[in-house]
Amino acid sequence: MPTDTGKLYLVSLGTGDPDQLTLRADRIMRAADLVLGPGDAPVRYAGQLAGKPFMEAGHGLFTPMARRRDTPEAVDAEEGRRRTAIRDCIAAGGTVAVLSFGDPTLYGPQVGYLDAFRDLQPEVVPGISSFAAANAALACALTGGSTSQSVILSLGKNANAGYAGSDRLSVLAQSRSALVLFTMKTDLGRVVEELRAGYPGDTPVAIVCHAGNAAKQEVLRATLDTLVEVASRRELPFEHLVYVGDFLAHPRGDYQ
Amino acid sequence: MPTDTGKLYLVSLGTGDPDQLTLRADRIMRAADLVLGPGDAPVRYAGQLAGKPFMEAGHGLFTPMARRRDTPEAVDAEEGRRRTAIRDCIAAGGTVAVLSFGDPTLYGPQVGYLDAFRDLQPEVVPGISSFAAANAALACALTGGSTSQSVILSLGKNANAGYAGSDRLSVLAQSRSALVLFTMKTDLGRVVEELRAGYPGDTPVAIVCHAGNAAKQEVLRATLDTLVEVASRRELPFEHLVYVGDFLAHPRGDYQ
């Protein structure tokens, strides 16, 4: 429940194109008394943020992530400055918006704010994830596959040697669902090897680059057998998702 | 690529609250020459749609779904009227917006329009799915589980007797991922039975009712062992999602 005075929001910016904001996110950003977010947010969202106090939000702060990239002392100092600014603003009855690209709850680097400020009952303002934007780029029913009507979001790195989670790609592959790989630290050769545990070699694959960026978005097509070769033809941008599944050959969908 | 004259959009309305639209969807709705969508859209989105030609979009038209609820003749007639209106409008250089709640590519009843009008290069305008809204309601990292960093979207009915897909819930349960069940035709007793193939009985569960509806949204908590009993205490609304996974006990997230 919102309190009368003081409120902390974790606001999705969508995928970065300024018109991918929701009306709700737009309103909350305009009304905020203090904003934390990506360094270029005050320029990119000048209409919403002009003249407001702003701090860079820090990648992975308030999670163990930050402590793997820096010393405990440096992280404590970084977190401390933000903690003080946020709590002072809220205590004075202000509203604070922490901005994050995509869905902050899906591999989001700002999700730690939710736990660190749990006592303030922070509210997440949902937005367009790269997943939703890439689905739109593909323009077909993810849930319309002929073998599976399910969708799995996972990480390319789960195919790497030594990964000990219960969600190795070879396990996930058993259901032959529509698979969406967020591609941080991905070895595509290993990915293909693990996926062969469930998917036939002729399973369609799509690589969606720069999902939700109207100027740069692009879709490359392959199969599981040709994925490594297709991907090797060019330098893939950091921002790409890999989709695997027979749904790519069944655009209409049929789930009930 | 957009054509200069005539354009077909499949536009997400988000979860139904008027401020859950993106700025982009808002603009496209206002500019459209013909709109198809849920019957109450002209009232609910009067600001965007006032005075525009409007047709009800029809649940599952242009997919096999519609043909299971009505005679081929009736469906042909329904589709025919809409096909003519859309093609006439586009041929005259107009823009057409087909409106859909949530992510139209995730169990969406309007996804058939994409295939039926593929030659017009329809464009999907992404929006807030019930999934994104429910993630926000839970306000924790879906990808922050201790056993799995993956997320699976599936259907409660995949636990039902006779379901022959490769994505039975007992198969999906093997990875112990964050599981999100869209709850059409769900027998919760059978769901729990299938999920026990992978998840311990004390795995946390959340039922998110009316996700993204600010006035009615509610989260109920249970475990796999208590889910049937907790759900039986009250009448669940049609609009609810069931979340299962140890991520619910690890709000901070830690994925890299």
Side-chain angles (χ1 to χ4, degrees):
Chain A
M1 300 297 295
T3 54
D4 289 320
T5 58
K7 179 82 186 163
L8 175 62
Y9 295 97
L10 179 54
V11 179
S12 169
L13 295 166
T15 56
D17 277 2
D19 65 355
Q20 292 278 35
L21 283 181
T22 62
L23 300 176
R24 178 135 211 271
D26 179 70
R27 176 168 49 79
I28 288 170
M29 288 164 71
R30 289 178 191 273
D33 298 295
L34 169 67
V35 177
L36 297 90
D40 65 349
V43 173
R44 205 194 279 243
Y45 300 95
Q48 289 85 7
L49 305 183
K52 290 188 191 294
F54 177 84
M55 300 176 84
E56 207 276 326
H59 192 91
L61 283 184
F62 305 105
T63 77
M65 237 187 291
R67 292 173 191 273
R68 284 197 294 273
R69 67 164 159 79
D70 218 334
T71 64
E73 295 73 23
V75 174
D76 285 346
E78 275 202 77
E79 291 183 353
R81 279 193 298 278
R82 287 161 181 86
R83 190 180 286 114
T84 303
I86 289 171
R87 292 198 177 273
D88 284 356
C89 181
I90 301 275
T95 65
V96 179
V98 178
L99 310 179
S100 180
F101 289 116
D103 184 329
T105 72
L106 296 176
Y107 311 112
Q110 257 64 280
V111 78
Y113 283 84
L114 292 174
D115 197 45
F117 300 93
R118 188 69 60 187
D119 61 303
L120 301 174
Q121 301 178 275
E123 185 176 325
V124 180
V125 179
I128 306 300
S129 58
S130 58
F131 167 56
N135 296 351
L138 293 172
C140 67
L142 266 82
T143 51
S146 64
T147 56
S148 164
Q149 304 175 321
S150 304
V151 182
I152 301 176
L153 315 182
S154 191
L155 293 163
K157 77 173 180 61
N158 291 12
N160 290 356
Y163 180 71
S166 52
D167 58 337
R168 273 197 81 82
L169 295 190
S170 53
V171 174
L172 297 175
Q174 300 305 323
S175 75
R176 297 174 61 175
S177 298
L179 181 69
V180 187
L181 293 179
F182 290 66
T183 46
M184 297 166 286
K185 301 177 186 170
T186 298
D187 176 338
L188 275 182
R190 292 198 68 98
V191 165
V192 169
E193 209 172 303
E194 294 261 331
L195 294 185
R196 284 191 196 284
Y199 300 92
D202 61 354
T203 303
V205 175
I207 305 173
V208 185
C209 301
H210 296 294
N213 179 322
K216 296 162 109 182
Q217 182 175 285
E218 194 182 357
V219 178
L220 310 176
R221 303 282 176 171
T223 65
L224 203 56
D225 280 340
T226 67
L227 174 59
V228 171
E229 195 271 313
V230 168
S232 74
R233 285 183 208 158
R234 47 173 288 175
E235 181 123 17
L236 294 175
F238 176 78
E239 300 87 352
H240 72 280
L241 299 173
V242 177
Y243 283 69
V244 181
D246 70 358
F247 76 97
L248 288 162
H250 295 87
R252 264 199 309 189
D254 178 25
Y255 66 89
Q256 295 190 312
Chain B
M1 300 297 293
T3 53
D4 289 321
T5 57
K7 180 81 186 163
L8 174 63
Y9 295 98
L10 179 55
V11 179
S12 169
L13 295 166
T15 56
D17 277 2
D19 66 354
Q20 292 278 36
L21 284 180
T22 63
L23 300 176
R24 179 135 209 270
D26 179 70
R27 175 168 49 77
I28 287 169
M29 287 164 71
R30 289 176 192 275
D33 298 295
L34 169 67
V35 177
L36 297 88
D40 65 349
V43 173
R44 206 194 279 243
Y45 300 95
Q48 288 85 9
L49 304 183
K52 289 187 190 295
F54 179 84
M55 300 176 85
E56 207 276 328
H59 192 90
L61 283 183
F62 305 105
T63 78
M65 235 186 293
R67 291 173 193 273
R68 285 197 292 274
R69 68 163 157 80
D70 218 333
T71 63
E73 295 72 24
V75 173
D76 285 347
E78 276 201 76
E79 291 183 352
R81 280 193 296 277
R82 287 158 181 87
R83 191 180 284 113
T84 302
I86 290 171
R87 292 200 177 273
D88 285 356
C89 180
I90 301 274
T95 65
V96 178
V98 178
L99 310 179
S100 180
F101 289 116
D103 183 330
T105 73
L106 295 176
Y107 311 111
Q110 257 65 278
V111 78
Y113 283 85
L114 292 173
D115 198 45
F117 299 94
R118 188 69 59 189
D119 61 302
L120 301 174
Q121 300 178 275
E123 187 176 324
V124 181
V125 179
I128 306 300
S129 60
S130 58
F131 168 56
N135 296 351
L138 292 172
C140 68
L142 266 81
T143 51
S146 64
T147 56
S148 163
Q149 303 175 323
S150 304
V151 182
I152 301 177
L153 315 182
S154 190
L155 294 164
K157 77 173 181 60
N158 291 13
N160 290 355
Y163 181 72
S166 52
D167 58 338
R168 275 197 78 82
L169 295 189
S170 53
V171 174
L172 296 175
Q174 300 304 322
S175 75
R176 297 174 59 174
S177 298
L179 180 68
V180 187
L181 294 179
F182 289 66
T183 45
M184 296 167 286
K185 301 179 188 169
T186 299
D187 176 337
L188 275 182
R190 292 198 68 97
V191 164
V192 168
E193 209 173 303
E194 295 261 329
L195 294 184
R196 284 190 196 283
Y199 299 92
D202 62 354
T203 304
V205 174
I207 305 173
V208 185
C209 301
H210 297 293
N213 177 323
K216 295 162 107 181
Q217 182 175 284
E218 194 182 356
V219 178
L220 310 177
R221 303 283 176 170
T223 66
L224 204 55
D225 281 338
T226 67
L227 174 58
V228 171
E229 195 269 314
V230 167
S232 74
R233 284 183 208 157
R234 45 172 287 172
E235 182 124 15
L236 294 175
F238 177 78
E239 301 86 353
H240 72 279
L241 300 172
V242 176
Y243 283 69
V244 180
D246 69 358
F247 76 96
L248 287 163
H250 296 86
R252 266 198 309 190
D254 178 25
Y255 67 90
Q256 294 191 316

